[in-house]
């Protein structure tokens, strides 16, 4: 996959990279990145010599039929790890367990602290679960990563990508070993997550919004529904007025 998809991505899009020297040649590390596009999980591994393991919902690996098998093969090939979200605490606990296993193998674990893609290109509050708990449970360094302009290449809902150069900035590793074993303290988890998000903000230059991206998506969806409802009511009112005017004319 690195030679086929990775090579094709680099040839077609020519992504620029800063800070490659911050990725260790060997040993475990957590790559914590902002999340602008579906393609983030392909561009970042494409520019690295080492494999990066991300997490993905288990449904991608269990769909039936030929299409399902091809999808599963594709996600396995690009380093995605299936996470079963059906447990008592859902994807969170599964993601943490998977991340710890990757780190214990001495590999690179990729995670998006925002938990979902940014709905508008801004940087949102990081969730304190997966990233901080994996870092504190393993002692692995956290490397902040900023994806630049990938949302312009393939915005949500767009199938055909736009040919343009995205960028990747890789920051210096952050050491949280002073908190090792304190992954049960929610204040420490919040502090670690906020420190990582601050570094990502500096690297990306994004505007920071102190709410979760999932909440922002709900707000946007609610606003769109309200606008659609208002538009429908306005059209109905105009139609009613037109009908009354026609009746008077008769």
């Amino acid at each position: 996959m690195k030679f086929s998809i990775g090579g094709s991505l680099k040839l077609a899009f020519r992504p620029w990279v800063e800070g490659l020297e911050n990725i260790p040649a060997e040993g475990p590390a957590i790559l914590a990145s902002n999340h602008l596009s579906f393609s983030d999980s392909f561009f970042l591994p494409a520019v690295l010599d080492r494999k990066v393991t991300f997490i993905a919902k288990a449904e991608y690996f269990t769909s039936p039929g030929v299409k399902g098998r091809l999808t599963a093969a594709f996600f396995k090939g690009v380093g995605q790890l299936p996470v079963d979200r059906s447990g008592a605490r859902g994807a969170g606990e599964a993601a943490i367990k998977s991340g710890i296993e990757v780190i214990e193998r001495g590999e690179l674990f990729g995670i998006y602290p925002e938990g979902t893609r940014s709905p508008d290109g801004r940087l949102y509050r990081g969730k304190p679960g997966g990233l901080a708990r994996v870092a504190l449970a393993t002692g692995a360094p956290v490397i902040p990563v900023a994806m630049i302009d990938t949302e312009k290449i393939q915005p949500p809902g767009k199938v055909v990508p736009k040919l343009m150069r995205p960028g990747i900035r890789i920051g210096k590793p952050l050491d949280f070993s002073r908190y090792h074993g304190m992954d049960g303290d929610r204040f420490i988890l919040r502090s670690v997550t906020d420190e990582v998000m601050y570094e990502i903000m500096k690297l990306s230059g994004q505007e920071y919004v102190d709410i979760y991206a999932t909440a922002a998506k709900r707000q946007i969806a609610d606003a769109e529904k309200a606008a659609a409802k208002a538009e429908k009511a306005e059209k109905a009112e105009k139609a009613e007025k037109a009908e009354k005017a026609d009746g008077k004319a008769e």
Side-chain angles (χ1 to χ4, degrees):
M1 285 296 180
K2 255 191 189 302
F3 285 107
S4 58
I5 293 177
S8 300
L9 281 177
K10 287 193 287 186
L11 183 64
F13 294 93
R14 300 180 297 115
W16 56 266
V17 190
E18 296 176 0
L20 271 177
E21 68 278 5
N22 293 320
I23 301 294
E26 58 183 21
I30 301 168
L31 304 185
S33 172
N34 60 340
H35 197 14
L36 298 172
S37 168
F38 175 77
S39 60
D40 293 337
S41 298
F42 304 116
F43 279 113
L44 179 56
V47 302
L48 302 181
D49 292 331
R50 298 182 61 186
K51 176 183 176 181
V52 184
T53 300
F54 289 90
I55 53 176
K57 59 184 181 181
E59 289 86 341
Y60 284 142
F61 300 82
T62 57
S63 299
V66 176
K67 182 180 178 181
R69 289 195 294 271
L70 290 174
T71 300
F74 173 78
F75 277 96
K76 288 176 182 175
V78 295
Q80 301 280 347
L81 196 66
V83 171
D84 183 3
R85 303 184 299 172
S86 62
R89 296 183 65 181
E93 291 299 321
I96 292 163
K97 182 176 181 293
S98 298
I100 291 174
E101 290 173 353
V102 171
I103 293 300
E104 288 179 343
R105 293 199 299 267
E107 300 173 2
L108 299 178
F109 176 60
I111 189 168
Y112 301 113
E114 291 168 280
T116 186
R117 281 176 286 180
S118 170
D120 54 14
R122 296 185 294 176
L123 184 68
Y124 285 85
R125 194 179 197 204
K127 294 190 173 182
L131 166 66
R133 286 183 60 186
V134 172
L136 300 189
T138 62
V142 178
I143 302 174
V145 177
M147 306 301 295
I148 312 292
D149 290 337
T150 52
E151 81 282 10
K152 298 175 183 177
I153 292 175
Q154 192 175 22
K158 297 292 183 181
V159 177
V160 180
K162 177 182 178 182
L163 284 177
M164 60 176 290
R165 292 190 74 185
I168 301 172
R169 287 197 183 98
I170 303 169
K172 295 184 181 299
L174 303 174
D175 180 13
F176 296 108
S177 59
R178 61 191 182 278
Y179 300 130
H180 183 62
M182 301 175 67
D183 50 308
D185 188 321
R186 63 188 180 93
F187 296 105
I188 295 295
L189 296 178
R190 181 76 265 162
S191 176
V192 168
T193 305
D194 288 346
E195 184 174 339
V196 174
M197 297 309 294
Y198 179 72
E199 293 300 321
I200 294 175
M201 181 188 69
K202 290 198 299 182
L203 290 169
S204 68
Q206 290 171 280
E207 176 187 349
Y208 179 75
V209 186
D210 196 24
I211 62 171
Y212 293 123
T214 48
K217 286 184 175 181
R218 284 195 299 269
Q219 290 176 2
I220 292 171
D222 290 344
E224 289 175 348
K225 286 180 182 178
K229 186 177 180 180
E231 184 180 359
K232 185 178 179 181
E234 185 180 354
K235 286 181 178 179
E237 184 179 355
K238 286 182 179 179
E240 185 179 354
K241 288 180 179 179
E243 187 177 345
K244 287 180 178 179
D246 290 341
K248 289 180 179 179
E250 291 175 0

